[in-house]
């Protein structure tokens, strides 16, 4: 059995009401719910929230809200793991669990299915969305208050870009693991973690108003529909 948990607290500071703010014609959280339902990966898709308005919108979009999260698990400093463990333990769930962020409008059903397939392999602890850095991180710069810059890895000043190892980063969309794994203190980025590669064009952090505006432009340019896939012409 598989469960999807979408964490969505109500206290967003940088973008007020971020999880339910309209994004390309729908409340932001509705895009994640639509992709989860369309993936057919899950017996249940639930939203963990402390906010009644988010709960109502999530229910209207097709998710379950079987409980309201405690305020102790809904402040600015609460990490994802305790929220996931709380949901799993509240439901008494055993099986594979996907943490899908509410602000992941670019996620696709296929991405979620690939993650589920990978996490079930022997020795895998977590399967998560990852994407390549757009620029070689070995050429990153440090900038001082006086605007002077130095290379973080000066040994690569003459290395050709094509000879540098490609680096990847967490795309911040979803994380698959067993219910048991979510309820242990072991870190996500440790031995046994595997990546579900997605293109950079679908890996967008949305933390500021500028991020939001750019993401909407990119979303429309890719003609994405409610399940994170290209709409027919």
């Amino acid at each position: 059995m598989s469960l999807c948990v979408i964490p969505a607290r109500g206290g967003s500071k940088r973008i007020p009401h971020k999880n339910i703010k309209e994004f390309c014609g729908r409340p932001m959280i509705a895009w994640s719910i639509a992709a989860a339902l369309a993936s057919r990966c899950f017996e249940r898709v639930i939203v963990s929230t402390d906010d009644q308005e988010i709960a109502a919108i999530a229910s209207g979009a097709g998710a379950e809200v079987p409980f309201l999260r405690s305020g102790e698990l809904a402040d600015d400093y609460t990490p994802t793991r305790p929220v996931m463990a709380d949901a799993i333990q509240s439901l008494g769930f055993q099986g594979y669990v996907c943490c899908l962020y509410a602000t992941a409008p670019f996620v696709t059903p296929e991405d979620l299915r690939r993650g589920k397939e990978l996490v079930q392999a022997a020795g895998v602890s977590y399967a998560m969305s990852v994407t390549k850095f757009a620029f070689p991180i070995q050429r990153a710069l440090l900038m001082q208050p006086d605007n002077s810059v130095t290379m973080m890895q000066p040994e690569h000043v003459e290395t050709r870009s094509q000879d540098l190892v490609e680096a990847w980063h967490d795309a911040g969309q979803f994380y698959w693991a067993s219910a048991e794994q979510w309820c242990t203190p072991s870190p996500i980025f440790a031995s046994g973690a595997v990546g579900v590669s997605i293109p950079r064009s679908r890996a967008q952090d949305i933390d500021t108003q500028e991020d939001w505006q750019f993401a909407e432009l990119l979303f429309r340019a890719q003609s994405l529909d409610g399940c994170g896939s290209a709409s027919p012409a």
Side-chain angles (χ1 to χ4, degrees):
M1 293 183 65
S2 300
L3 169 71
C4 179
V5 178
I6 302 176
R9 70 183 183 90
S12 177
K13 299 292 193 300
R14 286 176 292 186
I15 302 177
H17 308 295
K18 175 180 176 179
N19 290 320
I20 53 175
K21 179 180 169 70
E22 185 175 299
F23 181 91
C24 290
R26 288 187 182 185
M28 174 62 87
I29 196 172
W31 297 108
S32 293
I33 293 171
L37 294 173
S39 75
R40 300 189 182 278
C41 284
F42 309 105
E43 280 71 33
R44 300 179 71 178
V45 175
I46 77 158
V47 169
S48 169
T49 185
D50 60 319
D51 188 281
Q52 291 280 6
E53 185 177 7
I54 292 176
I57 290 173
S59 295
E64 299 179 50
V65 187
F67 57 86
L68 284 180
R69 194 196 313 173
S70 164
E72 296 177 357
L73 291 174
D75 63 28
D76 291 341
Y77 302 101
T78 303
T80 297
R81 181 186 299 282
V83 174
M84 294 298 294
D86 173 66
I88 290 165
Q89 292 164 1
S90 295
L91 299 173
F93 185 82
Q94 295 182 346
Y96 288 100
V97 185
C98 179
C99 169
L100 172 59
Y101 284 150
T103 52
F106 292 89
V107 72
T108 70
E110 176 58 23
D111 294 337
L112 296 172
R113 288 192 289 267
R114 288 166 58 209
K116 182 178 183 180
E117 180 178 354
L118 285 172
V119 80
Q120 295 180 80
V124 172
S125 56
Y126 287 93
M128 69 197 75
S129 58
V130 297
T131 195
K132 296 177 185 178
F133 278 98
F135 191 81
I137 62 170
Q138 296 89 343
R139 295 191 182 279
L141 302 176
L142 294 173
M143 189 168 184
Q144 305 303 324
D146 65 354
N147 297 324
S148 62
V149 295
T150 57
M151 287 190 68
M152 290 186 68
Q153 298 184 39
E155 66 271 23
H156 290 299
V157 66
E158 300 293 342
T159 307
R160 300 184 307 165
S161 295
Q162 59 264 43
D163 294 331
L164 295 170
V165 175
E166 282 188 323
W168 297 69
H169 65 87
D170 178 10
Q173 292 184 348
F174 62 86
Y175 309 85
W176 275 96
S178 67
E180 181 181 7
Q181 184 71 44
W182 278 117
C183 295
T184 66
S186 60
I188 292 176
F189 300 102
S191 177
V194 300
V196 179
S197 63
I198 65 173
R200 286 196 300 270
S201 61
R202 289 200 293 102
Q204 303 298 316
D205 279 337
I206 306 177
D207 293 322
T208 67
Q209 292 293 347
E210 183 180 10
D211 292 341
W212 191 284
Q213 292 165 6
F214 178 75
E216 284 196 303
L217 288 172
L218 190 59
F219 190 89
R220 292 189 174 107
Q222 295 182 67
S223 299
L224 298 176
D225 65 18
C227 296
S229 55
S231 300

